[in-house]
Amino acid sequence: MFQSNEDIGPVSPNSEQQPKQFFHSFKRQRTAFLAYVQGDIGQAERELYGSLVLNRLMFLYFLQAAGFLNGDTHYLTTRLQMMQHLYGLDTFYRHFLLPLFYQGLNTPTHSSKLADLFGCVPYVHNSLFQAHTIEHTCPELTISDEAFARIFTFFDTYQWQLHGQGAENQNVLHPAILGTIFEQYVNQQQVGAYYTKRDITRYIAQNTILPYLFDEVVRISPCIHQHNKLWCLLQEDPDRYIYDAVKCEPRLSGETLQEYDARHSHYAALRRKIAAGEIVEIDDLITSNLDICQFSVDAIRQIENLASLQQYYEQLQRLTILDPTCGAGAFLFAAMDTLAILYKACFERMQAIENADEFQALPIKVQHYSNQHFFILRSIIEYNLYGVDIMEEAAELCLLRMFLQLIAEAERAEDLTLLPQIDHHIRVGNALSDMNTPGKDGSCNIINGASEDRSFDWQHTFKEVLHNGGFAVIIGNPPYVEYTDKAFPYVLRDFVTLRCANLYPCVIERSQQLLAPRGRQGMILPLAAFATRNMIPFIESFRRWFPCSWLSFYHFRPSMLFSGDKVASIPTAIYLAKAQGPEQRFSTHLIKWSQEQRHLLFSRLSYCRITAPSDSANRHYYPKFGHPLENAIMAKVLQHQRIGTYLAKKPNQNKMFYRSAGGLYWKVFVNFAWPYKTTSNKQCAFEKEYMRDVFVALLNSSLFWWYYTVTFDTFNLKDYMIFGFRFSYPEEGAVINTLQQLCQQLMEDFQRHARHLKRGNTGSYTIYARKSKAIIDEIDRVLAHHYGFTPEELDFIINYDRKYRTGQDRTEEELLVGETQKHAQQSSCLASVKK
């Protein structure tokens, strides 16, 4: 019937390697092809035009493989040979290919002469085949037959399939490969674009689109869903909506016994919650991470009359979804998959209701199409999806993939005449450079820039959507690019988040301006967005824009959310948010996983409500809590003084030493100077009346590691991250003496297990902090008394992140070596800290 999150399954090695293998070969072929593009154009234009022609050819390869080009599965090669035979060499591009693009595929009827030239080809009326600006400005452009012969020979080594069957075969290509190709072309450090995998896009799409639609249907037509009957669905069969990864009886791959017990406790608590009738809002399904897609389909099946079903269908058609930096369309395709499930459920319910033939909601009868799914996808593309991207090639690929998705469902060539004209929905432009979009306070985001800024007029381009209040849902993965006026061809003005000095906060601010009053948003960002000081303008704006939000947080070791040849070795965050409603904040802990657990990642999410008070002295974070106990722990921590109040105003010998780089799962502080000099070596001094060793013990504690993890980006270690931690110096002499003694034991243990290592010509002093965990646990017991923690809270702190910190994950040792080496290279460190 439809795919749920459980249907992802483990990713096969072949399916991961296939895009890489194709791209590496394609990259060489593309370089060779560009050399054949002759004309009075610069290199940048040559690359752009070469990519355009190759995109057109790949589109045609999918069409010919499906038999839509004169019924010839080798159509292009056949026509190349025909032109050479009839008119001689180097006539294919000018005398066949360009006419095929402009007239053959882009006009509904052909003269007899053109019919003889092209044979039977479909009318696809796609902007991809309209004359490009470069073709207008440089009409003498030419490409030799040899270029096409080479690229066709390369393409012919693969099987081109519109459907995904056989995707595990490395010689089979399907349309999704085009998104991967685009991602590989992009210079990620400059453009900040990363290929977003399907499990991410699907999670975000389902948990924004489905709740929005549900709320709108209930708001406009409360009678559509009988409230009591609807929510009884959960109580009647809870396991239907709980993911298999949560209720699975045996231990999962890589799952420790502690994790197994926690998972089963969570499953039992979830069933009790459902049985008690505590889940009665659509947002509760997000919070409890239930199968919202299955529930939405079942809700449609509960609709009992045609009038209500028609109202539901009309709401479905009105739902507008935008990706403001859409790239090759990964999020829009996830939205398409989500909406297709709902359209299909509506049609199935129609057929089940008596007198369904009287149903008049559809603008065009489904029976006019060769199959129902073709009509569904056409409707979604025509009515629901919108995208903008600054890169012309990205927008072209997005459109190309959408058409291929439709063509894959076509059963006859005549169906292609029914393809919608959707070019006005997927546009080229800079989402940020708009002279006309007012902020919510009435101000305008004025842009002063060169023509390269691709200024985009939101009000004019999407006039109808914005006139009706804005986009219902906005999703995506904005560019992670540092912004300065001098480095960019355009200048941004009047964005509240401009002080964050990165593009992605501005994209979210623009999206908030475009969002409907009851709209929903969901995006993936660097975790630093919610955990660093320079992001305070964004964090405070985010809280103001979205009273209700769900944030999930993801580490980058052992595995990371992004993948590919170019990967983002950064921790990430996914947010789901809505623009109206009572204030409620939810989060997860910082999630770590191995690659073989990836397919279970989103089905095992567990949200915790945040109730701890905010810290006015440390405004830089959205807490990464995964357990209710963390609210109580944080509340107790916030009653203390900031460590910074105990720092000496002048240098003295009461010093502590630490490093700003290195240390994946531990941050190490010592009371002795590092044996080697390095730019990452740091030190500080405390006022003489305060024992330095008390602070050394404190900062090596699991309590500080917990605080660091839940409040910072887990990537950097800056002074404000250390000295903003709260700890009132003890008044009890016994506490001071005990911490001092434990600090001395810890330092001796550090030195006992430490090793002097050589990495090339540099020296490294490596401390294995995990080997001193028993002493650190004693420190945490003393601190628990000082902070007033309960035994349960102390147990939580001592065991926090234990699996990865103590090496229960047996791949950790290798990863730590790699991480330390990476920091040594990036920071020119001569000394490193390792677990």
Side-chain angles (χ1 to χ4, degrees):
M1 182 191 67
F2 66 91
Q3 270 196 322
S4 70
N5 283 337
E6 295 295 334
D7 298 325
I8 296 175
V11 178
S12 72
N14 283 342
S15 64
E16 288 283 324
Q17 291 300 319
Q18 178 221 20
K20 295 180 184 179
Q21 293 170 352
F22 175 77
F23 172 72
H24 288 312
S25 299
F26 179 73
K27 185 177 180 181
R28 292 191 296 270
Q29 295 292 333
R30 177 180 180 271
T31 300
F33 187 84
L34 291 177
Y36 290 102
V37 178
Q38 299 298 313
D40 187 19
I41 56 175
Q43 184 59 27
E45 290 177 307
R46 178 173 283 102
E47 293 207 7
L48 177 63
Y49 186 65
S51 294
L52 172 64
V53 174
L54 289 172
N55 288 341
R56 289 168 170 175
L57 294 178
M58 286 189 287
F59 184 98
L60 295 179
Y61 253 77
F62 282 114
L63 282 188
Q64 75 176 15
F68 289 133
L69 298 180
N70 205 40
D72 184 356
T73 57
H74 294 89
Y75 178 81
L76 290 172
T77 298
T78 300
R79 267 8 196 207
L80 173 61
Q81 294 169 350
M82 181 186 80
M83 294 302 293
Q84 290 176 338
H85 176 72
L86 293 176
Y87 304 107
L89 290 174
D90 297 332
T91 58
F92 179 70
Y93 171 72
R94 288 230 148 260
H95 299 285
F96 176 80
L97 206 55
L98 290 183
L100 175 67
F101 294 158
Y102 303 159
Q103 299 165 283
L105 300 169
N106 243 7
T107 55
T109 59
H110 305 142
S111 66
S112 58
K113 181 180 179 181
L114 289 179
D116 291 338
L117 179 64
F118 303 138
C120 182
V121 295
Y123 168 49
V124 296
H125 55 98
N126 188 330
S127 64
L128 185 69
F129 298 110
Q130 294 173 358
H132 191 273
T133 303
I134 294 176
E135 292 168 329
H136 283 302
T137 58
C138 191
E140 74 278 4
L141 270 178
T142 184
I143 304 174
S144 71
D145 286 359
E146 185 179 350
F148 295 104
R150 286 187 57 160
I151 200 68
F152 293 165
T153 299
F154 168 65
F155 284 164
D156 287 340
T157 62
Y158 293 89
Q159 299 175 44
W160 298 71
Q161 294 184 3
L162 286 168
H163 290 282
Q165 295 92 336
E168 68 282 353
N169 185 332
Q170 64 181 10
N171 289 323
V172 173
L173 299 179
H174 50 91
I177 195 79
L178 300 175
T180 306
I181 291 172
F182 167 72
E183 181 268 335
Q184 298 284 359
Y185 277 151
V186 172
N187 183 328
Q188 293 174 340
Q189 291 183 341
Q190 290 184 359
V191 183
Y194 296 98
Y195 181 70
T196 316
K197 295 183 74 170
R198 188 177 173 221
D199 55 351
I200 302 170
T201 59
R202 181 159 57 185
Y203 175 75
I204 293 175
Q206 289 185 352
N207 286 279
T208 50
I209 295 169
L210 298 176
Y212 175 85
L213 181 64
F214 188 93
D215 280 347
E216 283 301 287
V217 167
V218 171
R219 183 182 68 86
I220 294 171
S221 306
C223 61
I224 288 182
H225 295 305
Q226 297 182 25
H227 190 269
N228 292 335
K229 186 177 180 181
L230 180 64
W231 295 105
C232 281
L233 288 171
L234 291 169
Q235 294 172 297
E236 291 167 1
D237 190 1
D239 281 352
R240 180 173 175 81
Y241 307 102
I242 298 175
Y243 291 116
D244 290 341
V246 175
K247 62 193 178 191
C248 178
E249 181 54 38
R251 283 170 66 175
L252 300 170
S253 173
E255 188 175 44
T256 66
L257 184 59
Q258 184 183 22
E259 289 171 330
Y260 172 82
D261 290 339
R263 178 168 61 84
H264 276 266
S265 295
H266 173 65
Y267 171 51
L270 202 52
R271 283 187 59 92
R272 288 195 299 270
K273 189 175 182 180
I274 294 172
E278 296 178 15
I279 298 179
V280 292
E281 300 288 345
I282 196 68
D283 286 346
D284 295 339
L285 273 77
I286 302 175
T287 306
S288 297
N289 198 36
L290 297 176
D291 192 338
I292 195 169
C293 194
Q294 180 68 69
F295 181 81
S296 298
V297 170
D298 290 347
I300 293 172
R301 291 172 177 165
Q302 292 284 310
I303 299 175
E304 296 182 346
N305 61 76
L306 287 172
S308 295
L309 194 57
Q310 180 167 340
Q311 288 179 320
Y312 188 100
Y313 182 83
E314 289 171 353
Q315 290 304 313
L316 187 56
Q317 277 198 316
R318 293 193 188 108
L319 202 157
T320 52
I321 301 163
L322 169 71
D323 183 345
T325 55
C326 67
F331 280 88
L332 295 180
F333 284 96
M336 182 189 294
D337 290 342
T338 299
L339 292 170
I341 293 167
L342 301 179
Y343 275 90
K344 186 173 187 291
C346 280
F347 294 154
E348 289 177 343
R349 187 58 183 154
M350 270 183 243
Q351 295 165 0
I353 296 177
E354 188 178 1
N355 297 323
D357 290 341
E358 298 175 7
F359 191 80
Q360 298 297 319
L362 303 184
I364 303 174
K365 291 292 185 180
V366 180
Q367 55 263 34
H368 291 175
Y369 293 79
S370 59
N371 67 68
Q372 187 184 93
H373 199 56
F374 182 92
F375 172 78
I376 288 173
L377 295 185
R378 185 191 191 280
S379 299
I380 292 170
I381 292 172
E382 187 171 13
Y383 295 111
N384 301 121
L385 303 182
Y386 297 79
V388 177
D389 200 90
I390 196 170
M391 295 184 68
E392 185 175 346
E393 184 181 358
E396 288 172 352
L397 280 174
C398 184
L399 281 169
L400 185 153
R401 291 179 63 196
M402 284 187 176
F403 276 99
L404 290 176
Q405 191 94 349
L406 269 178
I407 292 168
E409 301 302 326
E411 295 181 356
R412 58 195 181 194
E414 305 90 87
D415 290 337
L416 302 190
T417 63
L418 300 173
L419 294 177
Q421 185 69 35
I422 61 167
D423 299 4
H424 61 288
H425 278 199
I426 309 299
R427 306 298 291 266
V428 178
N430 185 342
L432 298 177
S433 59
D434 179 11
M435 304 272 300
N436 303 306
T437 299
K440 292 293 172 76
D441 60 355
S443 65
C444 286
N445 304 123
I446 304 300
I447 307 303
N448 234 343
S451 59
E452 291 93 335
D453 71 355
R454 295 189 183 274
S455 295
F456 191 72
D457 189 339
W458 287 98
Q459 294 290 344
H460 174 75
T461 308
F462 299 132
K463 179 179 179 181
E464 184 177 351
V465 175
L466 296 178
H467 177 75
N468 290 329
F471 290 93
V473 173
I474 300 180
I475 54 180
N477 181 8
Y480 314 158
V481 180
E482 291 184 3
Y483 172 82
T484 60
D485 289 357
K486 295 180 180 179
F488 275 69
Y490 53 88
V491 179
L492 304 179
R493 302 291 187 202
D494 296 327
F495 281 92
V496 173
T497 56
L498 198 57
R499 287 176 293 153
C500 298
N502 206 297
L503 291 184
Y504 68 81
C506 295
V507 171
I508 296 167
E509 183 173 349
R510 168 54 46 81
S511 299
Q512 183 267 341
Q513 295 167 356
L514 300 169
L515 192 66
R518 293 175 299 278
R520 303 241 179 181
Q521 268 199 39
M523 293 193 180
I524 180 169
L525 307 174
L527 185 148
F530 298 98
T532 49
R533 191 162 59 186
N534 63 309
M535 287 293 159
I536 288 176
F538 167 69
I539 294 169
E540 295 185 341
S541 297
F542 182 88
R543 290 178 179 274
R544 186 172 65 253
W545 296 332
F546 306 113
C548 194
S549 55
W550 296 260
L551 268 72
S552 51
F553 299 99
Y554 307 86
H555 208 255
F556 61 99
R557 291 289 187 270
S559 192
M560 65 190 79
L561 283 187
F562 295 120
S563 64
D565 279 351
K566 299 177 179 179
V567 295
S569 295
I570 55 172
T572 46
I574 291 175
Y575 77 81
L576 310 170
K578 65 177 186 176
Q580 283 189 0
E583 184 169 4
Q584 297 183 85
R585 308 288 176 191
F586 300 91
S587 75
T588 69
H589 68 289
L590 181 61
I591 302 167
K592 303 182 179 81
W593 73 97
S594 57
Q595 187 56 41
E596 65 268 18
Q597 298 169 322
R598 173 65 184 255
H599 66 289
L600 306 173
L601 196 58
F602 292 99
S603 56
R604 291 192 60 192
L605 286 183
S606 178
Y607 284 103
C608 170
R609 185 165 186 177
I610 298 171
T611 59
S614 59
D615 185 351
S616 59
N618 294 296
R619 297 151 47 214
H620 62 268
Y621 68 91
Y622 187 115
K624 296 185 281 294
F625 292 170
H627 195 288
L629 280 175
E630 295 177 87
N631 287 291
I633 293 171
M634 182 61 82
K636 292 175 181 178
V637 168
L638 292 180
Q639 294 175 10
H640 287 244
Q641 295 291 322
R642 296 173 65 249
I643 292 179
T645 62
Y646 301 106
L647 290 175
K649 295 179 176 58
K650 295 181 179 180
N652 62 42
Q653 296 305 308
N654 198 23
K655 293 180 180 178
M656 178 179 73
F657 303 85
Y658 56 99
R659 288 199 178 105
S660 60
L664 180 59
Y665 297 138
W666 300 82
K667 299 300 176 187
V668 174
F669 301 82
V670 295
N671 62 8
F672 54 86
W674 298 109
Y676 301 97
K677 292 182 178 179
T678 165
T679 55
S680 69
N681 283 0
K682 302 293 180 182
Q683 63 181 10
C684 66
F686 295 94
E687 295 288 358
K688 294 180 180 178
E689 61 266 33
Y690 303 112
M691 289 276 190
R692 174 263 325 268
D693 286 0
V694 169
F695 296 99
V696 174
L698 169 73
L699 294 170
N700 280 297
S701 69
S702 292
L703 174 62
F704 177 73
W705 174 254
W706 166 82
Y707 178 83
Y708 171 77
T709 302
V710 301
T711 61
F712 296 107
D713 66 359
T714 72
F715 195 73
N716 300 289
L717 184 63
K718 299 182 183 296
D719 284 353
Y720 77 90
M721 299 178 178
I722 301 170
F723 304 122
F725 182 50
R726 291 180 173 271
F727 171 78
S728 296
Y729 194 79
E731 296 180 357
E732 301 175 46
V735 173
I736 296 172
N737 292 336
T738 303
L739 287 174
Q740 185 182 21
Q741 292 170 13
L742 287 171
C743 174
Q744 191 57 40
Q745 293 177 29
L746 184 64
M747 297 300 101
E748 292 171 359
D749 210 50
F750 276 178
Q751 292 172 322
R752 184 181 308 115
H753 294 115
R755 295 174 63 192
H756 293 265
L757 301 175
K758 268 289 197 187
R759 293 200 170 95
N761 295 322
T762 64
S764 166
Y765 186 69
T766 301
I767 290 176
Y768 297 84
R770 64 181 175 83
K771 295 184 178 181
S772 304
K773 182 69 165 66
I775 300 173
I776 292 172
D777 288 350
E778 289 302 314
I779 292 173
D780 280 296
R781 290 186 177 95
V782 176
L783 294 174
H785 169 75
H786 181 65
Y787 282 94
F789 295 156
T790 66
E792 190 180 15
E793 291 164 355
L794 170 61
D795 185 68
F796 177 86
I797 289 296
I798 286 177
N799 289 290
Y800 183 77
D801 207 15
R802 191 183 192 100
K803 173 179 177 179
Y804 294 96
R805 298 188 79 208
T806 60
Q808 292 178 33
D809 172 19
R810 297 321 306 164
T811 63
E812 180 187 17
E813 204 67 38
E814 295 178 55
L815 292 168
L816 294 176
V817 171
E819 182 66 17
T820 304
Q821 290 174 336
K822 174 184 171 185
H823 278 294
Q825 293 170 353
Q826 290 181 340
S827 307
S828 301
C829 293
L830 300 179
S832 62
V833 177
K834 179 179 162 189
K835 277 53 79 187

